[in-house]
Amino acid sequence: MDSVLKAWGRLANRSPVLAFVDWCLRGIGQVMFQDNPLTGAIFLAAIAWGSIAAGAPAVLIGGVVAVVAATLAALWLRVDGAALRSGLFGYNAVLVGLALPTFLPAGPLLWLYVLLGAVVSVVATRATAEAGKPFAVAALTFPFVLVTWLMLLASHGFSAVSAPLATEPAVLPIAESNPLDAIAFLGAVLKSISQVFLKASFVAAILFVIGLAVNSVAAALFAVAGAIVAVAFAHLFGAESELVTGGLLGFSPVLTAVALGTVFYRPSGRVALYALVGTLFTVVAQAATNAALAPIGIPSLTAPFVLTTWLFLLPRQSFETDKG
């Protein structure tokens, strides 16, 4: 695997076109914190499978268009070169590009909408990163959440892109919670992983796990563990069964588990426990934001992941990860 990456790196260094492709692939991989073009390529294959299998090729096109547009915009804005080459200005755009065709009807002006959202996500990423510096927290997917929320809300006033939004149902006290057998539980775990990229596909989920493992076995393990914990916790507390089995209460916890367990803290037993607490609370935050946003007709997206991870990163100075 290392030899393949080294060979690709040599080719990318010799060709500006391949270098650009490399940056875009890394941007796709960075959705789950993986700075690896092979991971990005596997993630892209998973997105393609999930989109085409669901009869929504526009979603795949939206993701590709968005990451290309954002990378070009980052070049134009002369962003930090190392961050650009690592794909840090592409991952929010990928999610914007996947989300808008998922929730809005296809049409010529949708692509202008996607392009605008992708470019603005670069500005939002820079702005959020600057704002977070005093607190030593990363932008995460906040730019994606902010840009997509605003564009979905604005679509109610734009007849060319307006449509009833496919929102997540609110988690209400009257929610029906049915027993989960082993098959349903496994399906819920896999969909929790694939829903990170707005996909409800078992095959896509397996490809996402493979893509993670290519770059970080620890990240793959934490993603799977985060999904298992989220599904079990949500079901234990009687969450709406369709939300649980659809992975809609698990995708933000998956991101939290990977972020806290493998990215921002050095892995250890204490960090694993810390990540577990953060993952569990992300399920609560997911249910809360679902209920809060249902009346205004927009999905929670990855806001619960962002809020919880920021909360668990802010006390970082007092959390010694190299002990214990």
Side-chain angles (χ1 to χ4, degrees):
M1 198 68 68
D2 288 341
S3 61
V4 172
L5 289 173
K6 288 179 181 178
W8 168 257
R10 289 192 293 269
L11 289 173
N13 288 335
R14 296 172 188 165
S15 167
V17 173
L18 291 182
F20 185 85
V21 171
D22 181 83
W23 303 341
C24 290
L25 290 175
R26 290 177 190 271
I28 298 171
Q30 287 284 11
V31 172
M32 297 188 78
F33 307 102
Q34 307 307 305
D35 181 9
N36 186 312
L38 180 55
T39 295
I42 296 171
F43 282 4
L44 182 59
I47 294 167
W49 177 280
S51 300
I52 294 170
V59 176
L60 167 63
I61 296 170
V64 173
V65 167
V67 71
V68 170
T71 305
L72 288 171
L75 280 168
W76 173 61
L77 291 171
R78 298 179 181 177
V79 302
D80 175 71
L84 172 64
R85 291 188 294 273
S86 295
L88 293 177
F89 288 96
Y91 70 95
N92 278 293
V94 171
L95 293 172
V96 171
L98 296 176
L100 293 180
T102 295
F103 298 116
L104 299 176
L109 290 180
L110 173 64
W111 303 112
L112 177 59
Y113 217 48
V114 168
L115 286 171
L116 176 62
V119 172
V120 174
S121 76
V122 177
V123 178
T125 297
R126 293 194 69 181
T128 308
E130 289 298 317
K133 279 183 179 178
F135 307 100
V137 295
L140 303 177
T141 56
F142 177 75
F144 153 62
V145 173
L146 178 63
V147 170
T148 304
W149 274 354
L150 291 175
M151 298 191 84
L152 290 179
L153 284 170
S155 72
H156 291 305
F158 298 148
S159 61
V161 292
S162 66
L165 296 181
T167 59
E168 302 161 12
V171 179
L172 301 174
I174 58 172
E176 182 180 354
S177 178
N178 300 316
L180 286 181
D181 58 26
I183 302 284
F185 187 90
L186 176 61
V189 168
L190 290 174
K191 287 185 179 179
S192 293
I193 296 169
S194 67
Q195 286 286 6
V196 170
F197 289 84
L198 291 88
K199 301 292 155 212
S201 167
F202 301 149
V203 174
I206 293 170
L207 288 173
F208 288 133
V209 173
I210 292 171
L212 284 170
V214 162
N215 192 60
S216 169
V217 173
L221 292 175
F222 268 87
V224 173
I228 291 171
V229 166
V231 170
F233 186 77
H235 182 64
L236 176 66
F237 276 81
E240 172 66 50
S241 291
E242 289 186 4
L243 289 179
V244 177
T245 57
L248 296 175
L249 289 176
F251 62 92
S252 274
V254 165
L255 287 172
T256 300
V258 174
L260 296 179
T262 70
V263 179
F264 295 105
Y265 295 113
R266 186 181 304 168
S268 69
R270 294 176 69 230
V271 166
L273 183 58
Y274 195 66
L276 172 62
V277 176
T279 301
L280 292 174
F281 191 72
T282 307
V283 180
V284 176
Q286 185 82 57
T289 52
N290 285 354
L293 294 173
I296 59 174
I298 59 173
S300 61
L301 304 175
T302 56
F305 151 66
V306 173
L307 295 173
T308 304
T309 302
W310 276 350
L311 178 66
F312 277 70
L313 289 178
L314 285 172
R316 187 174 186 176
Q317 290 180 330
S318 62
F319 190 79
E320 297 294 332
T321 62
D322 56 350
K323 296 179 181 179

